Amino acid sequence: MPPKYHVLSVLVENRAGVLARVSALFARRGYNIYSLAVAPTDDERFSRITVVVDVEQAPLEQVVKQLNKLIHVIKISELDPRDSVERELMLVTVKAPAEVRGQIIELVELFEGRIIDVGRDELALSLDEHPERLDDLEELLRPFGIIDLQRTGRVALPKLERS
Amino acid sequence: MNTNGGQALIKSLELEGVEVIFGLPGGAILPVYDPILDSPIRHVLVRHEQGAGHMAEGFAHATGRPGVAMVTSGPGATNIVTPLADAYMDSIPMVVITGQVPLPSIGTDAFQECDTVGITRGVTKHNELVTRAEDIPMAIRQAFHIATTGRPGPVLVDIPKDIVDPRNPASAMNWNWPTDADVSSSMPGYKPTTKGHPKKIKEAAALIAVARKPIIYAGGGILKARAAEALRELAELTGIPVVTTLMARGAFPDDHELCLGMPGMHGNYTAVTSIQKSDLLIALGSRFDDRVTGKLDGFAPDARIIHVDIDPAELGKVRRADVPIVGDCRLVIEEIIKALNALGGPESRMDITPWRQQISAWQELYPLVYEQSIDGDLLKPQYVLEQLRDRSPADTIVASGVGQHQMWTSQYWKFNYPYTWVNSGGLGTMGFSIPAAIGAKVGRPDRTVWAVDGDGCFQMTAQELVTAATERIPVKIALLNNAYLGMVRQWQEMFYGERYSEVYLSPDLPDYVKWAEAMGCVALRVESPDEVGPAIDKANEINDRPVVLEFRTDASEKVFPMVSPGTSNDQIDVGPLQNGLGR
């Protein structure tokens, strides 16, 4: 994860072409979208897009204002990582011959992940956790030989008030 | 099933109050052209789809009502991309209907297929591919609502052929005309803010009251918001001088003592300098365009900013505002006037007489000037424009292309009425004037409509004069033929050491008079100053067909004043005739 990043939670109408409209506003300015997660909300008329971008604050404000102008965008909130709960799902297939299999299983248990498929010399595992925990596990698995890895991109919601 | 998509589309346009469609049929839009035969809507058959788009824009400029264009899929749609981009930049309400290949063929590289909504996404306020015949009335209602409310702009509705073709079962539908409530509840994300925040309005009034050197920087938003009257009231109440940007010419009358005219790269000295020296800039429906600000960090360095715009994205986009107000210009100005009156009479505000005197002194020192040509030389374009202005009705609508002739027209015309200036500001679309003038004349047949064009522009869209002649739309074209792409030539002369690269066009190839005559126009060539007036008088008397006056003008004439690109407005060049005058 780059040092400066922003997490936008964009509530949109759940219909064709909306994602293209949203992503085009980043693309025309040359901003790379670091990760993107889209799915319908509890109200199926709407979807929530969680987009992570590596942009300075000032241009981001302009992008947010432009996003707000899209007819199909209902609401945008920027989520400060300090004030939000974030989760991401990762699936990994890793080389796991008999002599290291135990170590990998131990690692997955330590991270509270799950083994989801077992092959002769490979294991597939999943972890849903804070994105930084995913980074950690990924780093620890790398020496064993990662064959495939897929992350979903983060989803986030604001932290609840406690006061 | 009591109707079909094609009939529903035309009926929807009728119910939206559409009187005229500018368009050109083709394969995918064919089924929609059949019910047009039975509709009261007038259809103007253009010769190129770009013409249809600019005509719709010209119509909207002159009337304030949305212009409507209809074209076919593929090349029809791509040909109208430029007008869409133009309307998007200048916030022109326009609805464009494009045909699309039948739904089952979309994505198959079908004949005349292109991804119209993909291509036009970045140049429309909104666009939509309609996939069910029964959705057509709602799509049209939404399109007009979006195009005309908030910050106006172009909306494109892409209609696949199968849902409008009565021979196809997919076109069968039951008629249902959505209510206003249906329309707004169908777009939960679209709620433009029109009323300014009361606290900000008070802050604005307070800033105005303490300003010693205020300027009103009026933009095209004044015209879009129908706020010319409110602006005049504000200016007269406070005595604050008004600059009118290229998009706002006519929003405040040029013959008003408080009007300073156009600021910017080719603005007059007083308009540019008064902004620079101001201590308060009241930006009303203007967007701090780079052509107005010059080098940004040198722009109005001592000014506090009140910025009123209906588009929240404009506030703080270029220059941070001390008092940003999101809202409709007319409503906000009216509220500011109330807030000022609540503060008290003129004694509650700073005396700005010294500022007004300073401004008058600048006006006296630096009027717009040019040197009249001597006999036998080519005409001065400024002279032609003065004659055109003085010999045409005061409420004449003037359209222009893009380039030197556009700047001279904006400088030399006296715009005393709103909605009389039709030009391409943001996008700078060469070839805009002829089709835009035609659209304006269709919208305002009671008015004299002149297009001021350059020879480069003329060659881009002249074919629409065939449309004008056929449809009996008597526009008049003042073609300033200097045989060059004049503005590019000016930049090459000034900034590229007089190395003229690919700017020469020839004065007599094509023969513009013959060409215009071939298109059904009356055409005259004017070469000497004493012919200018009589030719214009003659053109103004002709009202049954288009007229083209070709003026042979001097290519060496440059537009001044000029703020060179990349420099501050303080470095304004008033031109050789005024250089050295005491500043």
Side-chain angles (χ1 to χ4, degrees):
Chain A
M1 179 61 59
K4 291 184 308 292
Y5 67 92
H6 295 274
V7 183
L8 297 179
S9 177
V10 188
L11 186 67
V12 299
E13 287 187 50
N14 178 10
R15 52 195 296 167
V18 178
L19 181 59
R21 292 178 203 276
V22 169
S23 59
L25 282 177
F26 292 94
R28 84 177 274 192
R29 291 171 171 77
Y31 302 149
N32 187 27
I33 292 175
Y34 186 84
S35 82
L36 185 70
V38 195
T41 63
D42 56 314
D43 182 340
E44 65 179 18
R45 290 173 302 160
F46 305 116
S47 288
R48 192 179 301 281
I49 300 177
T50 307
V51 54
V52 181
V53 280
D54 178 11
V55 184
E56 299 287 339
Q57 189 62 40
L60 182 74
E61 279 168 25
Q62 184 55 218
V63 176
V64 167
K65 284 177 174 176
Q66 296 292 341
L67 281 173
N68 258 317
K69 286 170 70 170
L70 295 176
I71 308 294
H72 293 155
V73 169
I74 316 285
K75 188 167 184 273
I76 304 165
S77 22
E78 186 183 349
L79 298 175
D80 186 326
R82 288 165 301 189
D83 299 328
S84 44
V85 285
E86 299 179 300
R87 283 296 177 274
E88 189 173 0
L89 172 66
M90 174 171 76
L91 303 181
V92 193
T93 306
V94 64
K95 283 186 191 161
E99 59 271 26
V100 298
R101 187 166 290 206
Q103 287 178 54
I104 292 173
I105 292 170
E106 196 177 319
L107 209 50
V108 172
E109 280 171 359
L110 211 58
F111 275 79
E112 296 180 48
R114 288 165 58 192
I115 307 292
I116 54 172
D117 201 5
V118 181
R120 200 162 53 94
D121 291 316
E122 291 143 14
L123 284 176
L125 52 99
S126 76
L127 178 65
D128 60 299
E129 247 297 355
H130 192 277
E132 283 170 21
R133 295 270 291 164
L134 268 53
D135 295 343
D136 292 345
L137 180 61
E138 187 182 331
E139 198 183 311
L140 291 164
L141 288 174
R142 182 156 289 125
F144 296 102
I146 290 173
I147 296 163
D148 268 320
L149 184 146
Q150 176 64 55
R151 294 171 65 149
T152 56
R154 72 182 63 199
V155 291
L157 286 174
K159 267 188 191 160
L160 301 178
E161 299 269 351
R162 288 214 190 102
S163 53
Chain B
M1 302 288 173
N2 58 15
T3 188
N4 66 70
Q7 283 182 341
L9 176 56
I10 294 301
K11 187 170 173 183
S12 299
L13 295 174
E14 288 170 10
L15 288 172
E16 282 292 347
V18 175
E19 292 159 18
V20 58
I21 298 173
F22 304 95
L24 195 146
I29 196 73
L30 259 170
V32 183
Y33 268 82
D34 189 66
I36 284 182
L37 287 172
D38 306 318
S39 170
I41 296 176
R42 176 183 184 187
H43 183 275
V44 173
L45 174 62
V46 300
R47 264 50 180 180
H48 186 290
E49 289 92 345
Q50 184 187 359
H54 292 321
M55 286 178 205
E57 289 187 84
F59 178 91
H61 262 285
T63 64
R65 302 199 299 276
V68 179
M70 185 153 75
V71 298
T72 195
S73 64
T78 55
N79 278 343
I80 209 160
V81 170
T82 299
L84 285 168
D86 193 275
Y88 191 49
M89 287 285 258
D90 288 346
S91 309
I92 309 300
M94 172 160 86
V95 173
V96 171
I97 315 284
T98 47
Q100 183 54 276
V101 300
L103 277 165
S105 304
I106 290 180
T108 67
D109 302 328
F111 177 65
Q112 292 193 330
E113 185 193 356
C114 73
D115 175 12
T116 303
V117 290
I119 290 169
T120 60
R121 188 175 292 132
V123 294
T124 51
K125 184 175 175 187
H126 188 61
N127 64 16
E128 200 78 68
L129 170 71
V130 185
T131 55
R132 298 187 307 181
E134 70 213 64
D135 293 341
I136 288 174
M138 177 60 99
I140 296 299
R141 285 226 61 187
Q142 287 177 337
F144 279 84
H145 182 65
I146 294 167
T148 55
T149 54
R151 181 178 183 167
V155 178
L156 180 141
V157 185
D158 201 24
I159 309 269
K161 185 175 186 178
D162 48 341
I163 68 166
V164 286
D165 182 357
R167 290 168 305 182
N168 191 310
S171 75
M173 60 174 277
N174 281 316
W175 173 255
N176 175 37
W177 187 238
T179 64
D180 289 352
D182 294 339
V183 175
S184 42
S185 69
S186 72
M187 296 185 289
Y190 183 67
K191 290 189 200 72
T193 304
T194 53
K195 208 171 165 303
H197 194 289
K199 183 168 158 279
K200 296 286 174 197
I201 304 253
K202 273 193 187 148
E203 285 175 27
L207 272 189
I208 292 171
V210 299
R212 291 170 193 276
K213 297 190 283 181
I215 289 289
I216 293 173
Y217 159 32
I222 295 288
L223 293 168
K224 302 300 175 336
R226 305 257 139 194
E229 277 304 309
L231 169 63
R232 187 173 179 146
E233 203 185 320
L234 175 66
E236 288 177 352
L237 172 72
T238 56
I240 300 176
V242 179
V243 301
T244 48
T245 68
L246 181 65
M247 293 312 296
R249 306 288 291 127
F252 190 72
D254 273 331
D255 63 2
H256 197 289
E257 59 165 352
L258 290 170
C259 191
L260 307 185
M262 182 174 72
M265 182 175 269
H266 292 296
N268 70 75
Y269 180 86
T270 306
V272 172
T273 306
S274 60
I275 287 182
Q276 284 305 94
K277 306 291 184 202
S278 67
D279 67 351
L280 176 66
L281 211 47
I282 307 162
L284 304 173
S286 47
R287 60 182 178 87
F288 296 83
D289 182 81
D290 55 80
R291 285 300 190 264
V292 168
T293 63
K295 192 168 170 237
L296 194 57
D297 54 19
F299 176 68
D302 304 323
R304 295 215 262 181
I305 310 283
I306 298 169
H307 192 178
V308 181
D309 205 292
I310 196 152
D311 180 358
E314 286 302 336
L315 303 175
K317 182 182 84 175
V318 175
R319 170 83 176 249
R320 197 190 68 84
D322 297 276
V323 181
I325 305 178
V326 179
D328 173 88
C329 265
R330 184 175 63 79
L331 298 178
V332 172
I333 293 171
E334 286 169 0
E335 290 301 314
I336 290 177
I337 290 170
K338 278 187 210 158
L340 282 168
N341 284 329
L343 290 178
E347 75 291 342
S348 66
R349 297 185 290 273
M350 281 288 169
D351 177 17
I352 62 169
T353 314
W355 174 232
R356 295 268 303 274
Q357 284 166 345
Q358 168 68 78
I359 286 170
S360 300
W362 286 328
Q363 284 177 315
E364 220 160 285
L365 193 56
Y366 292 111
L368 286 172
V369 287
Y370 69 95
E371 229 167 1
Q372 181 56 284
S373 55
I374 44 172
D375 267 354
D377 283 356
L378 290 161
L379 297 167
K380 293 293 181 181
Q382 300 95 329
Y383 173 72
V384 173
L385 287 163
E386 285 179 336
Q387 289 294 307
L388 193 59
R389 173 194 71 201
D390 295 341
R391 289 169 183 269
S392 301
D395 61 356
T396 295
I397 293 172
V398 190
S400 96
V402 168
Q404 288 181 313
H405 65 279
Q406 174 190 27
M407 292 296 109
W408 283 316
T409 309
S410 180
Q411 289 178 340
Y412 282 88
W413 200 271
K414 290 283 172 242
F415 293 99
N416 291 327
Y417 301 88
Y419 313 107
T420 54
W421 172 231
V422 180
N423 94 124
S424 165
L427 195 67
T429 307
M430 283 180 66
F432 179 79
S433 74
I434 290 174
I438 293 169
K441 181 70 180 173
V442 169
R444 296 303 306 261
D446 53 318
R447 296 284 188 86
T448 299
V449 178
W450 273 99
V452 179
D453 219 3
D455 46 324
C457 284
F458 187 88
Q459 292 191 57
M460 290 193 178
T461 49
Q463 81 285 340
E464 296 309 335
L465 287 171
V466 179
T467 307
T470 311
E471 296 268 347
R472 300 271 164 192
I473 303 164
V475 292
K476 306 175 203 306
I477 318 297
L479 167 58
L480 304 183
N481 176 12
N482 68 353
Y484 275 94
L485 296 169
M487 188 59 94
V488 185
R489 185 191 184 282
Q490 174 169 342
W491 282 48
Q492 289 179 346
E493 179 180 337
M494 294 175 71
F495 312 122
Y496 290 84
E498 297 179 43
R499 285 162 56 84
Y500 299 113
S501 175
E502 302 298 325
V503 285
Y504 180 66
L505 295 176
S506 161
D508 41 26
L509 183 65
D511 181 322
Y512 292 98
V513 168
K514 280 188 187 162
W515 187 9
E517 283 171 353
M519 291 188 287
C521 305
V522 177
L524 290 170
R525 181 169 294 128
V526 184
E527 292 175 289
S528 74
D530 56 339
E531 295 170 354
V532 171
I536 292 168
D537 291 343
K538 187 175 173 196
N540 276 332
E541 280 160 20
I542 297 171
N543 266 315
D544 59 346
R545 71 198 71 187
V547 187
V548 174
L549 300 184
E550 181 206 353
F551 298 96
R552 293 291 178 97
T553 60
D554 181 358
S556 68
E557 197 60 32
K558 293 194 286 294
V559 185
F560 284 111
M562 180 168 193
V563 177
S564 294
T567 68
S568 151
N569 284 343
D570 290 332
Q571 271 101 56
I572 184 169
D573 180 353
V574 286
L577 296 174
Q578 290 176 329
N579 272 328
L581 289 179
R583 285 198 196 166

